[in-house]
Amino acid sequence: MAYASLSSTPRSFLPLRSVLPTMASFHSPKPVANQQLQDPSPSSSLEIIGSRRHLLSRFPSLQKPYTPFPVVGWNRHVETIFAAFFRSLPDVALRRECLRTRDDGSVALDWVSGDERRLPLDSPVLILLPGLTGGSDDTYVRHMLVRARNKGWRIVVFNSRGCANSPVTTAQFYSASFTADLCQVVDHVSTCYPKSNIYAVGWSLGANILVRYLGQESHNCPLSGAVSLCNPFNLVIADEDFHVGFNNVYDRALARALCNIFKKHALLFEGLGGEYDIPMTANAKSVRDFDQGLTRVSFGFKSVDDYYSNSSSSNSIEHVATPLLCIQAANDPIAPSRGIPREKIKENPNCLLIVTPQGGHLGWVAGSEAPFGAPWTDPVVMEFLENLDNEYASGTSNSFWNELHDVPQSSTSVTVSTQ
């Protein structure tokens, strides 16, 4: 299943390192039917969709052209792998809190150490949701954490069961469909900081879970805003593309990462009956094998395809009632452009979409900090969240979001030239 965090795989993963120098000569596959901007040239433009898209015109980060870093940013596989293995890792002291879930499972919440004393109690709180097998030690998570923390925000990384050495205490991990842990984390954070506005940012699988949560909670959602990045959206389409060409390298790497997490806790799964296939799970050669042997059974799905179809966050967009910014890369090999629910985003006045011409998966090696620094997306994310929070703080709640209340929901997309 294509909802991954390659940076959570071991940095010594030699097969990926060995192919990086030669990959600059690779060409991305030809676009398939109905797929926009599959692998555009570096001079292409941003695609922006949403009835409130003009709100983005005030963001300084979007006044400059999207300029991919030379060579690295011109091929989606090179960019994906480069970012996973060579992006810098900011040094941050974290304090871990283990939260017991209602089914006796456990998740790990990593807070910035000392912020419980340094920051005002009403500082905005940002929950970060990493991708599949990812956690607080991933580079893209750390860069976002540091940027938000430097703005005076309180940050907590939600490490799912088994990720970033989070304890596993029951015979259940997590899945693309599972929102119960996020519900409890948001409730817990809201209880700890009742005077704060709570926001969330999710990447890849974390983005899929976050958008599903937003749709599930709809008008009752306690979050004040959210950002989704590299979201696979349609997991059926993502799974189809995950088994084509070079994408098989990602599939094997992520399957290995899942197997490593499983093997650490294999004794919890001993003797399970029913449709569980523990040998397949322990030796999975693909993410689909892992989901077939364990995930889809744990969460009550009849088949892997049933699991993917009913876990896609594209089904949740129409119910989102919280301000949501989605950022995707048109050439993402793991979260395909053709799976983005453009029409649903366009029809929901609470949603905005930015699609960059390049970026790969969790890459976005562009902007002033390229090639080793923060992704191009980080300033955009913070400007979106800060604009929201400033409106709430000024007492004119939602004026930022509602200033274009009369703009038709069916507004067409606009492009921001990168020439």
Side-chain angles (χ1 to χ4, degrees):
M1 183 60 253
Y3 35 66
S5 170
L6 279 179
S7 59
S8 61
T9 60
R11 288 182 173 246
S12 60
F13 182 48
L14 295 179
L16 289 183
R17 282 184 177 273
S18 64
V19 299
L20 183 59
T22 62
M23 285 178 55
S25 63
F26 286 10
H27 295 287
S28 298
K30 293 180 180 179
V32 298
N34 299 321
Q35 184 165 357
Q36 302 178 15
L37 301 173
Q38 169 65 21
D39 202 1
S41 68
S43 62
S44 296
S45 60
L46 300 180
E47 177 188 3
I48 300 179
I49 290 176
S51 61
R52 289 165 173 76
R53 65 198 181 281
H54 297 293
L55 299 175
L56 300 177
S57 64
R58 68 179 64 180
F59 294 180
S61 61
L62 294 179
Q63 305 307 310
K64 302 175 182 178
Y66 181 87
T67 307
F69 195 79
V71 181
V72 171
W74 294 348
N75 178 279
R76 59 185 184 167
H77 299 304
V78 173
E79 186 165 16
T80 298
I81 295 172
F82 183 92
F85 291 100
F86 300 109
R87 176 167 280 147
S88 62
L89 181 68
D91 186 20
V92 181
L94 300 174
R95 172 181 61 86
R96 173 155 291 189
E97 175 187 11
C98 289
L99 182 65
R100 179 73 70 175
T101 61
R102 295 182 180 93
D103 66 343
D104 286 330
S106 300
V107 298
L109 303 180
D110 288 342
W111 304 81
V112 177
S113 181
D115 276 1
E116 67 276 11
R117 299 184 302 274
R118 288 190 292 263
L119 293 176
L121 290 176
D122 61 351
S123 296
V125 180
L126 182 60
I127 303 171
L128 303 181
L129 289 77
L132 179 65
T133 75
S136 56
D137 53 354
D138 283 345
T139 59
Y140 62 90
V141 174
R142 288 286 185 93
H143 277 285
M144 188 73 254
L145 182 155
V146 168
R147 183 175 298 270
R149 178 59 189 83
N150 288 342
K151 298 287 188 177
W153 288 49
R154 192 184 311 276
I155 317 300
V156 57
V157 182
F158 167 25
N159 300 291
S160 293
R161 306 181 190 209
C163 297
N165 294 315
S166 178
V168 177
T169 53
T170 63
Q172 179 175 291
F173 288 124
Y174 65 106
S175 75
S177 65
F178 190 55
T179 60
D181 284 355
L182 178 56
C183 286
Q184 190 165 345
V185 167
V186 172
D187 288 346
H188 175 71
V189 171
S190 299
T191 300
C192 291
Y193 298 100
K195 297 181 179 180
S196 298
N197 292 324
I198 313 295
Y199 302 85
V201 173
W203 293 264
S204 202
L205 177 67
N208 190 81
I209 294 172
L210 174 58
V211 172
R212 280 182 54 82
Y213 167 78
L214 295 174
Q216 170 187 297
E217 299 299 308
S218 195
H219 293 282
N220 296 319
C221 183
L223 295 179
S224 298
V227 180
S228 161
L229 301 116
C230 286
N231 189 339
F233 281 116
N234 187 318
L235 304 187
V236 175
I237 289 176
D239 180 60
E240 290 172 358
D241 283 19
F242 212 31
H243 308 293
V244 176
F246 192 84
N247 284 3
N248 285 287
V249 174
Y250 308 135
D251 194 10
R252 290 192 295 271
L254 289 158
R256 182 175 298 136
L258 285 168
C259 288
N260 288 340
I261 293 175
F262 175 79
K263 289 174 181 177
K264 291 179 183 178
H265 310 285
L267 290 179
L268 288 170
F269 298 85
E270 278 295 321
L272 289 180
E275 299 181 35
Y276 287 97
D277 190 333
I278 301 307
M280 173 186 281
T281 303
N283 300 286
K285 301 302 181 186
S286 67
V287 176
R288 187 181 179 90
D289 286 347
F290 189 92
D291 289 339
Q292 170 63 31
L294 184 71
T295 311
R296 68 97 182 167
V297 185
S298 295
F299 294 94
F301 294 98
K302 291 182 269 188
S303 66
V304 174
D305 291 327
D306 179 44
Y307 163 48
Y308 293 162
S309 177
N310 288 287
S311 302
S312 298
S313 60
S314 57
N315 302 328
S316 303
I317 285 291
E318 61 190 286
H319 304 296
V320 172
T322 299
L324 171 65
L325 173 64
C326 304
I327 309 180
Q328 303 286 122
N331 68 348
D332 192 322
I334 294 176
S337 177
R338 66 191 178 101
I340 300 172
R342 288 173 168 82
E343 289 303 315
K344 292 182 179 180
I345 290 173
K346 186 188 301 183
E347 292 168 1
N348 187 333
N350 300 297
C351 299
L352 283 169
L353 169 67
I354 298 174
V355 183
T356 60
Q358 288 83 30
H361 189 70
L362 301 174
W364 284 302
V365 183
S368 61
E369 296 189 39
F372 301 108
W376 173 88
T377 50
D378 283 10
V380 182
V381 171
M382 278 312 304
E383 286 164 8
F384 175 76
L385 296 176
E386 284 186 298
N387 268 284
L388 284 176
D389 199 63
N390 288 340
E391 293 295 341
Y392 290 125
S394 68
T396 55
S397 177
N398 279 336
S399 65
F400 163 74
W401 201 244
N402 291 327
E403 68 181 55
L404 296 180
H405 180 75
D406 295 327
V407 174
Q409 295 184 18
S410 59
S411 298
T412 57
S413 64
V414 297
T415 56
V416 178
S417 175
T418 62
Q419 298 293 332

